[in-house]
Amino acid sequence: SQQGEEDPQALSIQEGENATMNCSYKTSINNLQWYRQNSGRGLVHLILIRSNEREKHSGRLRVTLDTSKKSSSLLITASRAADTASYFCATVSMKAGTALIFGKGTTLSVSS
Amino acid sequence: ETGVTQSPTHLIKTRGQQVTLRCSSQSGHNTVSWYQQALGQGPQFIFQYYREEENGRGNFPPRFSGLQFPNYSSELNVNALELDDSALYLCASSSLAGGNEQFFGPGTRLTVL
């Protein structure tokens, strides 16, 4: 079963704009990760935020985590056409070892 | 450093047949996980192997089984294929010391007719 939901399901923006995706989850977590997937191929790890962290940055990516609301957001600044992909949040449960539990994803389309 | 590889890339089977998918882990990784991704959905956890032992299993029936070998490569076997088994099967390797970040292969696209 899916752990949570990403919102929105689809997002279309212009190059240079910022893209924000949200993720909600259901159970207590050890950490939360964001992955990108291009055209139904393998997933690429973007960033990991631990349950005791509130915000993390990596290049043009900013992730926040609110464990009280069981939610996270991914911000991509100054989007490029190459950012066009599906983005998934994945949680690592405190009970389920290191298995990743994914949401359904947000499909981002960046047009030039 | 060699990344995660999977074979074959695509596979077409008929209902009732059996299939074996293969995965080579990234160098230095001792944990491999398998995921099933149906079209338009997020990946669903099938099971995980750590040092050749099953280390967790998702909500999949016993006809989904796996193996991990001493070189940490892995197989996913599916018996009695059903139409709903059509999906992208993803293998991911990780090191338990690596903070749970997983490195994914490109996947095997299985079509069951």
Side-chain angles (χ1 to χ4, degrees):
Chain A
S1 61
Q2 306 285 162
Q3 161 69 296
E5 299 282 335
E6 282 93 339
D7 170 57
Q9 290 186 351
L11 182 60
S12 293
I13 59 174
Q14 299 285 320
E15 265 193 329
E17 294 181 336
N18 295 341
T20 299
M21 289 160 261
N22 302 297
C23 166
S24 61
Y25 58 90
K26 298 174 184 175
T27 62
S28 296
I29 60 169
N30 182 298
N31 66 62
L32 184 144
Q33 304 174 36
W34 286 89
Y35 286 81
R36 184 186 75 221
Q37 185 177 38
N38 289 85
S39 303
R41 300 295 287 170
L43 284 81
V44 175
H45 180 268
L46 295 176
I47 196 166
L48 180 154
I49 187 165
R50 301 194 185 282
S51 59
N52 61 353
E53 297 175 311
R54 291 296 166 261
E55 186 171 314
K56 203 162 182 180
H57 297 254
S58 176
R60 294 184 295 114
L61 305 180
R62 173 180 170 252
V63 168
T64 62
L65 179 64
D66 187 335
T67 53
S68 66
K69 294 181 180 177
K70 291 188 169 57
S71 67
S72 173
S73 67
L74 171 67
L75 169 67
I76 304 174
T77 60
S79 296
R80 306 166 182 168
D83 295 328
T84 295
S86 293
Y87 291 81
F88 295 91
C89 72
T91 54
V92 176
S93 162
M94 298 189 79
K95 292 183 179 179
T98 62
L100 293 173
I101 308 299
F102 286 87
K104 293 185 178 180
T106 293
T107 299
L108 174 65
S109 178
V110 182
S111 53
S112 53
Chain B
E1 186 177 84
T2 306
V4 179
T5 60
Q6 292 186 243
S7 62
T9 305
H10 296 90
L11 202 53
I12 299 175
K13 291 285 189 179
T14 56
R15 199 169 43 182
Q17 285 189 311
Q18 177 266 343
V19 68
T20 297
L21 310 181
R22 294 180 174 83
C23 170
S24 291
S25 299
Q26 183 160 316
S27 176
H29 287 176
N30 54 21
T31 302
V32 64
S33 304
W34 285 90
Y35 297 85
Q36 179 196 66
Q37 186 178 22
L39 203 59
Q41 301 293 315
Q44 298 248 358
F45 173 67
I46 303 175
F47 43 56
Q48 182 181 85
Y49 280 81
Y50 169 64
R51 293 185 175 178
E52 305 176 57
E53 297 286 333
E54 190 176 288
N55 186 44
R57 189 179 182 93
N59 190 27
F60 281 80
R63 59 190 185 84
F64 285 78
S65 63
L67 281 174
Q68 187 183 29
F69 300 101
N71 65 356
Y72 301 132
S73 65
S74 176
E75 286 182 355
L76 164 65
N77 298 289
V78 187
N79 294 322
L81 283 167
E82 301 177 358
L83 298 179
D84 285 348
D85 295 335
S86 294
L88 181 69
Y89 288 84
L90 296 161
C91 163
S93 74
S94 61
S95 165
L96 283 183
N100 307 141
E101 174 186 352
Q102 298 193 11
F103 296 81
F104 282 81
T108 293
R109 174 74 61 186
L110 173 65
T111 301
V112 182
L113 303 175

